Amino acid sequence: MRFYSVNRRVVAGLALTGFMLAAAGCQSSDNGILNFGFSKKDPTAPPPPQDPKVLASQLRAYCPKVTLRDGTAFFNTYAKGAAAKTKKKKVDAAADAEAEAAAAAQTGPNGQPVDPNRDPAKIIYQASITDVTRDCTHENGQLTMKIAVAGKVVPGPLFTPGNVTMPIRIAVQHGPDVLYSQLHQYQVQVTDPSAATQFVFTDTNVVVPEPTARDYQAYAGYDENAPAATDKSKAKRKKRVAAAATN
């Protein structure tokens, strides 16, 4: 009888030990799978990432924003011959050099040297862009934009009534890729020397491929360098034609 009771205690102890090991094994290998909904979420855990896809309805309502690049909101028209070279009579070389040095030493109100091609005292008109807006339509796999530029022309110190021609460029980019770029020589008639003349220019033919994301960028502004570059290229072509004719 004593042997039987001891053996029963041993068996009971082994059974209890096995149950504890089994329970410990389940807890260590659970990894949140067998939580049965009782585990609490970590409040410090970051939220799941959002789906980056853009809905088709959002793209159909998308109209790229129009911005002005730095330095393209103003355009000045200067008097002809402000920096034009004129034929000089033969003069003393020392006096000529002294006159050139005096011209180079001229400074503006800010203390900076005055560019003879951009002398504020010789401005005829000063134009500025005050606002830009746009309108978009989506059709046949294309995005068509109407980009409007509003501004004003203010008479300068050498004002004379007439037309001022402003080089306005409209462009649309997708990252580094230029999808549309057009230079417009827009004219505004200015007759009143005592008031600013308002103007509104609209480019209605901005057509680009339908975007697949909201990542297009539209630009509007003055482009003073383009006409000069065009004139130089034409001059080079004329020289080549003249050279070919003489050969």
Side-chain angles (χ1 to χ4, degrees), residues 37-129:
F38 294 107
S39 62
K40 295 182 179 180
K41 294 183 179 180
D42 185 2
T44 62
Q50 297 180 354
D51 189 355
K53 294 182 180 179
V54 181
L55 299 178
S57 58
Q58 293 176 321
L59 288 177
R60 284 193 295 269
Y62 171 55
C63 195
K65 182 180 179 181
V66 181
T67 59
L68 291 170
R69 293 184 185 273
D70 292 339
T72 65
F74 297 93
F75 173 71
N76 294 333
T77 302
Y78 296 87
K80 292 182 179 180
K85 294 183 179 179
T86 59
K87 293 183 179 180
K88 297 181 180 179
K89 297 180 180 180
K90 292 183 179 180
V91 295
D92 183 46
D96 194 15
E98 184 178 351
E100 291 181 0
Q106 291 182 351
T107 57
N110 58 358
Q112 297 296 323
V114 174
D115 183 353
N117 291 319
R118 298 179 178 276
D119 188 347
K122 298 178 180 178
I123 293 178
I124 303 176
Y125 314 105
Q126 184 176 65
S128 62
I129 295 175

Side-chain angles (χ1 to χ4, degrees), residues 17-246:
T17 303
F19 174 79
M20 293 177 64
L21 290 174
C26 291
Q27 292 176 0
S28 62
S29 61
D30 182 5
N31 293 328
I33 298 175
L34 301 178
N35 54 27
F36 299 106
F38 294 107
S39 62
K40 295 182 179 180
K41 294 183 179 180
D42 185 2
T44 62
Q50 297 180 354
D51 189 355
K53 294 182 180 179
V54 181
L55 299 178
S57 58
Q58 293 176 321
L59 288 177
R60 284 193 295 269
Y62 171 55
C63 195
K65 182 180 179 181
V66 181
T67 59
L68 291 170
R69 293 184 185 273
D70 292 339
T72 65
F74 297 93
F75 173 71
N76 294 333
T77 302
Y78 296 87
K80 292 182 179 180
K85 294 183 179 179
T86 59
K87 293 183 179 180
K88 297 181 180 179
K89 297 180 180 180
K90 292 183 179 180
V91 295
D92 183 46
D96 194 15
E98 184 178 351
E100 291 181 0
Q106 291 182 351
T107 57
N110 58 358
Q112 297 296 323
V114 174
D115 183 353
N117 291 319
R118 298 179 178 276
D119 188 347
K122 298 178 180 178
I123 293 178
I124 303 176
Y125 314 105
Q126 184 176 65
S128 62
I129 295 175
T130 56
D131 195 13
V132 292
T133 187
R134 83 284 192 210
D135 180 66
C136 297
T137 57
H138 300 257
E139 188 176 7
N140 299 327
Q142 292 181 324
L143 168 64
T144 301
M145 300 182 66
K146 295 180 181 179
I147 297 179
V149 175
K152 60 183 179 180
V153 180
V154 179
L158 298 184
F159 168 78
T160 55
N163 292 332
V164 54
T165 302
M166 298 177 291
I168 300 177
R169 183 175 293 280
I170 304 296
V172 179
Q173 288 188 217
H174 179 216
D177 299 327
V178 179
L179 305 179
Y180 176 89
S181 180
Q182 184 65 44
L183 181 69
H184 304 271
Q185 298 293 347
Y186 183 65
Q187 289 191 343
V188 176
Q189 187 176 22
V190 183
T191 57
D192 188 352
S194 62
T197 300
Q198 308 291 331
F199 71 88
V200 176
F201 164 77
T202 305
D203 187 344
T204 61
N205 299 313
V206 183
V207 181
V208 295
E210 182 75 42
T212 58
R214 301 166 66 93
D215 55 359
Y216 280 8
Q217 180 62 62
Y219 296 100
Y222 294 119
D223 187 351
E224 299 184 56
N225 298 324
T230 304
D231 293 343
K232 289 181 179 179
S233 61
K234 290 181 179 179
K236 289 180 180 180
R237 285 196 296 269
K238 289 181 179 179
K239 289 182 179 180
R240 292 173 184 171
V241 171
T246 55

